[in-house]
Amino acid sequence: MLNKTPIWKHILIVLVLLLSAIYAAPNLYPPDPAIQVTPARSGAEMSEATLERVRSALANKQIEFFGEEVNGATALFRLTQTDHQLPAKAAVQRLLGDEFIVALNLAPTTPDWLLDLGAGPMTLGLDLSGGVHFLMEVDMEDYLAGKFKNYRNELRNKLREEKLKYRRIQVEGSVLRISFKDEAVRDEASDFIARTYNEFIRNSEDNGEFYDLVLRVTEQRIKSFEDYAIKQNLTTIRNRVNELGVAEPLVQRQGRNRIVVELPGVQDTAEAKKILGKAANLEFRLEAEPGASRFSTEEYPFRNDEFRTARLQKTIITTGDSVTNAQPSFDENGFPQVNIDLDSKGGARMTQVTRKNIKRRMAVLFVERKPKTTYEMVDGVETPKTVQVVEKSIISLATIQSTLGSSFRITGLETAEASELALLLRAGALAAPMFFVEERTVGPSLGKENIELGTQSVALGLALVLVAMVVFYRLFGMVANVALVANLVILIALMSIIGATLTLPGIAGIVLTVGMAVDANVLIFSRIREELLAGRSPQQAIHEGYDRAFVTILDANLTTLLVAVILFAAGTGPVKGFAVTLSFGIITSMFTAIVLTRAIINAIYGGRRIDSLSIGGQS
């Protein structure tokens, strides 16, 4: 006689199913289309006047909204229709200008009681509902201009060290022109540069007044500069994406000077754009001494008080490129600060300068590249035009009390600014400035269609399997169908708990899981039929069917799981999404196809004598 399932197994199964139902439930609540308004500058507040301007912009475009939410500096406006997102964003951005970032969003609708239990919906991939696509272009012209200026400064120092007197060094595009009063000195300098630099093509020119040495950087060297800038920016963008905690992002090079960034499942798209697009850096400079020439100094405003200015030396001690670590914290008085560590080169330079300038003031200059939008009439239509502007402002100006080394701190920041600056510096400075060429939120229409088609494929596959199982295996088929539905619930719950990103390939993995889950029951039920045909009693046939089919099922699933692990390790993006779904599907199908169905079969047939089984196919 078939033994009944122990009570502890029943409790375990009920507990697993109950928890799975709870953590899968948030996926029944689709998010609302929304726009999110965030100040472009960290630390800024969202005022009632700004909210009223947003309301008026939406009202003028006859866009209905509800559920207005303000959380600190961020305002969220839920819209009644998905199609209204793009016109709402355009209208609000036009009214507020560049001082605010307006982004598309999907506002969650999960009930609070589920959120209190830590339950949340699955993150959907970019191809389903979710996220943002950025096309960013590296400003190579600006980057190369900076490189040539560095060459000019370096050549000045080298020629002075060699005591080769020159009249001036000019940068003319990708050409450096060094003027000498003496032809012999020019020739000597040419020989020195030939020995020191191999990236210059040298030519001599005489203009009657000066003897010029013209240096042109080789195309190969320029290409290496460009490749370095792209690779460094790729690394920096990837680090920033990691800091944002985005699941399965795509960051890759496109063409010679562009980078594609796709952030699936991102909710706070405004914050993502602000962090990724900000070409923020630091420059450490000494304050200009009284009476210093204006040709060697520059005047900048303070970041927290634009009416206060200070004059700084043009010479840069070091930049954020030398920062190896940056962490926000608080000083002894409770004010925010950023603790900074420099690399060996930056630390040595900082030590060398500060040792000689104790009691002088050193400024921390925040360098930021920001978009500025203007609107022009093109063929009778108002068209936005965005240009990039560089803003430099002083974060702090403090007296050097002692020699600084590789570790020091920056004060004078607000809490939000300290956190953002630390993130940017920790992720790495951009080697070259970048700007957004294209911003596209893949979601409302395409994502909806993909979700509908994916859901239809799962539903169709599930329906066909359910019907087939009942036709071929009768009562046992109905038990397998219950296990199959439970398998889907557990799978969705697991993916929701770990925050896995569901993509179209992930849906394909779910469809495959449906087939594999039923496959295990087919093996078991076929084995039970064989045992019945061999003359076993119904109770013995059930027992032997589960025990003997288990090894085969385990081998098959372990082989598939191994392939899924390899796909996850070697694949990227959507391939990983497929591998994750498949892996979890294998684990859950083993539980439902073996443990759950056996518990149900035992509950039906266990503990009593029976003469036949409702399993079909018996002769």
Side-chain angles (χ1 to χ4, degrees), residues 166-314:
Y166 61 91
R167 185 73 179 89
R168 64 191 178 198
I169 302 180
Q170 296 173 294
V171 178
E172 301 171 353
S174 59
V175 173
L176 291 164
R177 183 180 294 274
I178 311 175
S179 299
F180 299 86
K181 284 190 173 182
D182 188 276
E183 184 178 6
V185 176
R186 179 191 64 184
D187 295 341
E188 189 177 349
S190 178
D191 293 339
F192 168 73
I193 291 173
R195 294 193 306 270
T196 310
Y197 300 90
N198 59 4
E199 61 262 44
F200 289 132
I201 299 173
R202 295 167 291 110
N203 288 299
S204 298
E205 294 182 4
D206 301 336
N207 58 14
E209 183 181 0
F210 297 114
Y211 298 95
D212 292 346
L213 179 61
V214 180
L215 306 176
R216 288 181 173 82
V217 181
T218 61
E219 282 297 322
Q220 183 180 0
R221 187 63 171 174
I222 289 177
K223 189 176 184 303
S224 71
F225 283 150
E226 293 176 344
D227 289 341
Y228 170 79
I230 288 289
K231 289 178 182 177
Q232 179 61 34
N233 281 14
L234 275 172
T235 301
T236 299
I237 293 297
R238 287 192 180 108
N239 289 339
R240 292 182 181 182
V241 168
N242 292 338
E243 292 280 353
L244 289 170
V246 177
E248 298 186 20
L250 172 68
V251 181
Q252 66 183 23
R253 182 174 183 173
Q254 184 180 88
R256 186 164 180 174
N257 63 341
R258 290 185 172 184
I259 294 175
V260 174
V261 181
E262 290 185 354
L263 307 177
V266 168
Q267 291 297 308
D268 195 347
T269 52
E271 182 66 15
K273 184 176 180 182
K274 185 165 67 173
I275 294 299
L276 294 180
K278 184 168 287 186
N281 208 338
L282 293 182
E283 291 179 1
F284 299 90
R285 302 191 189 190
L286 290 174
E287 184 181 28
E289 293 183 301
S293 170
R294 289 188 172 269
F295 294 104
S296 61
T297 63
E298 295 172 321
E299 189 172 8
Y300 295 105
F302 279 76
R303 187 169 172 80
N304 56 2
D305 184 2
E306 60 182 10
F307 299 105
R308 180 187 171 199
T309 62
R311 185 161 288 278
L312 310 179
Q313 288 187 351
K314 285 186 177 181

Side-chain angles (χ1 to χ4, degrees), residues 317-329:
I317 300 173
T318 188
T319 67
D321 298 341
S322 297
V323 173
T324 58
N325 192 22
Q327 296 291 338
S329 65

Side-chain angles (χ1 to χ4, degrees), residues 70-83:
V70 179
N71 183 12
T74 300
L76 191 73
F77 292 81
R78 297 173 186 256
L79 308 179
T80 57
Q81 297 182 39
T82 301
D83 294 340

Side-chain angles (χ1 to χ4, degrees), residues 14 60-61 96 107 136 158 188 203 259 278 309 363 410 447 483 523 539 545 571 574 583:
V14 170
N60 290 338
K61 291 291 183 179
L96 298 183
M136 307 175 75
K158 293 285 187 182
E188 189 177 349
N203 288 299
I259 294 175
K278 184 168 287 186
T309 62
I410 298 175
L523 288 173
Q539 301 283 16
S583 300

Side-chain angles (χ1 to χ4, degrees), residues 327-354:
Q327 296 291 338
S329 65
F330 296 90
D331 62 16
E332 56 276 6
N333 297 316
F335 293 108
Q337 66 179 23
V338 177
N339 298 317
I340 287 183
D341 294 327
L342 300 177
D343 58 20
S344 57
K345 183 178 179 181
R349 176 67 177 159
M350 182 65 70
T351 301
Q352 177 187 9
V353 173
T354 55

